[in-house]
Amino acid sequence: MSVLLLAASAALFGAAAPVSAADTTAPTAPDASAEGAGPLSVYWATAVDDDDVTAYRVFRNGRQIATVPADANSYHDHALTGNTWYTYGVQAVDAAGNTSPTTTLQPLKSAPLLRFPADRDDRVEGVLEASRPVLVDFATDRLPKCRSRYAGGDAWSINVEYRVDGGPVQSQPATRLNDDRRQVTALAPLSLPLGARNLELWFVSGDITGCTEYDSRFGANYRYTIEQPTVVSFNADWSESLTGQVRKDQTLTVRYDVARLPQCRETLRGMPGWHIDVFYRLDDGPTLAKRLTDHDGEALPATIDLQPSTSRVEIWFRVYGQVSRCTAYDSDHGRNYIYQTV
């Protein structure tokens, strides 16, 4: 998307408010965060300015990749390479062209990627690893037959169907409708549960006429081996165990038995009104957190991506009651759980 220019702002985003030539006050830096299991996503709160904020600029690894209108509070990045570190930034722009300081976010690592380009090849970027999703990037030209249109838009779609370790077949959309109602490639995240060993997948195209077309390596399907991550387990008997070594630029999976923190078990609208989070810090960096329980209070593994320079990982846990704001911690008596990398 083009960088916002004042002369084009009315055409792109609606008429801008009159601006005094004396306006030199920059907007505040947006309060932003980033996350991602499929495309990497950047979110931000509305910046404050004495005039109108007219746009936000999004940066990836120091280069601007998009300008979005002022009423947007997110950007989803689909142009990714698998298993690659990205650092995002967000900057607000006002009607006079003043720019806020850029809010730079903590680096994020993209998921491994399975690419299916138009040349009928398939390629793996990164390592498929249990407890981390894998993204599928499928070129729509591989399945060209079912291409019906209706009311000026595409009336067809492509799904990736898959199963893990011979289990039930699951499905994710591999295309999405863009603003012109044309189907384009969508990064499809496939869940690889902890302990998974083998992934099998194939693609199905269909349209409203009943046309169906498959890409399944001539019926053999596409098959991939899933590697096992290093896992640190916090068990109900208050023991901890580690499988493998904690390595730089690799994934550390945290498995936590919720019986270790039995406090704050509240109910909210008939559902568990509590959750457990893992807090972690890489070296002397900021404190980050991930959820360890689902909506039913069942344990979920959490993955921590270690950066190439990470030498030390510090971990602790908190249970939080949403009704009374009850809290309790598991932190090795305040010392936290420390792991050195190799």
Side-chain angles (χ1 to χ4, degrees):
M1 198 179 292
S2 300
V3 174
L4 180 69
L5 298 177
L6 290 177
S9 63
L12 289 175
F13 307 125
V19 179
S20 166
D23 180 13
T24 59
T25 303
T28 60
D31 183 11
S33 62
E35 62 182 36
L40 298 183
S41 299
V42 185
Y43 302 92
W44 59 87
T46 303
V48 177
D49 188 55
D50 62 342
D51 209 328
D52 291 331
V53 171
T54 56
Y56 294 95
R57 295 171 180 167
V58 181
F59 298 83
R60 184 211 299 135
N61 293 349
R63 298 183 63 182
Q64 185 177 335
I65 57 172
T67 299
V68 297
D71 60 356
N73 291 100
S74 64
Y75 178 79
H76 308 287
D77 189 3
H78 293 264
L80 303 173
T81 299
N83 239 47
T84 301
W85 287 96
Y86 293 101
T87 300
Y88 291 91
V90 184
Q91 182 185 73
V93 185
D94 71 10
N98 300 309
T99 57
S100 74
T102 300
T103 299
T104 301
L105 306 175
Q106 285 296 304
L108 281 178
K109 190 177 186 179
S110 61
L113 195 63
L114 294 176
R115 287 199 190 277
F116 295 83
D119 63 9
R120 311 297 296 184
D121 195 7
D122 65 295
R123 298 193 292 270
V124 181
E125 294 180 0
V127 177
L128 275 63
E129 198 171 58
S131 81
R132 289 195 76 198
V134 58
L135 302 179
V136 176
D137 181 8
F138 184 81
T140 60
D141 290 347
R142 293 172 67 112
L143 290 175
K145 291 183 180 179
C146 304
R147 287 290 193 271
S148 291
R149 291 176 60 80
Y150 179 77
D154 286 342
W156 57 271
S157 63
I158 299 174
N159 283 356
V160 53
E161 300 195 342
Y162 70 102
R163 57 186 165 210
V164 177
D165 293 337
V169 175
Q170 303 176 66
S171 182
Q172 287 282 2
T175 58
R176 61 182 175 87
L177 281 173
N178 66 10
D179 292 340
D180 297 323
R181 300 183 61 199
R182 303 301 301 267
Q183 289 284 358
V184 296
T185 296
L187 292 179
L190 310 186
S191 177
L192 305 180
L194 193 61
R197 301 285 178 176
N198 297 286
L199 172 66
E200 175 186 3
L201 60 84
W202 60 98
F203 300 89
V204 183
S205 175
D207 66 16
I208 59 172
T209 70
C211 171
T212 304
E213 187 181 13
Y214 293 87
D215 180 351
S216 62
R217 194 175 266 163
F218 305 103
N221 297 337
Y222 298 93
R223 298 172 185 270
Y224 305 92
T225 299
I226 303 170
E227 302 295 332
Q228 301 306 301
T230 298
V231 180
V232 56
S233 298
F234 294 83
N235 308 309
D237 62 3
W238 290 94
S239 65
E240 295 90 42
S241 59
L242 183 67
T243 62
Q245 293 180 305
V246 182
R247 295 185 175 275
K248 302 174 189 290
D249 202 23
Q250 298 293 324
T251 298
L252 175 64
T253 296
V254 178
R255 185 164 56 185
Y256 189 83
D257 194 311
V258 299
R260 289 172 67 110
L261 280 174
Q263 305 91 331
C264 309
R265 293 297 201 267
E266 303 174 347
T267 301
L268 180 62
R269 292 189 286 274
M271 298 289 290
W274 58 274
H275 59 260
I276 296 177
D277 298 310
V278 55
F279 292 85
Y280 62 97
R281 189 160 46 225
L282 307 181
D283 297 323
D284 296 321
T287 297
L288 305 172
K290 289 194 173 184
R291 189 62 50 86
L292 283 172
T293 50
D294 63 16
H295 294 299
D296 295 319
E298 298 296 323
L300 295 172
T303 57
I304 299 174
D305 289 322
L306 307 184
Q307 299 177 26
S309 61
T310 299
S311 60
R312 180 175 180 270
V313 186
E314 183 178 357
I315 298 173
W316 65 101
F317 305 91
R318 184 193 70 179
V319 61
Y320 178 75
Q322 297 166 243
V323 178
S324 67
R325 299 184 181 179
C326 164
T327 58
Y329 291 86
D330 175 358
S331 62
D332 195 18
H333 305 287
R335 295 185 295 265
N336 298 336
Y337 300 96
I338 308 297
Y339 298 91
Q340 306 294 333
T341 65
V342 296

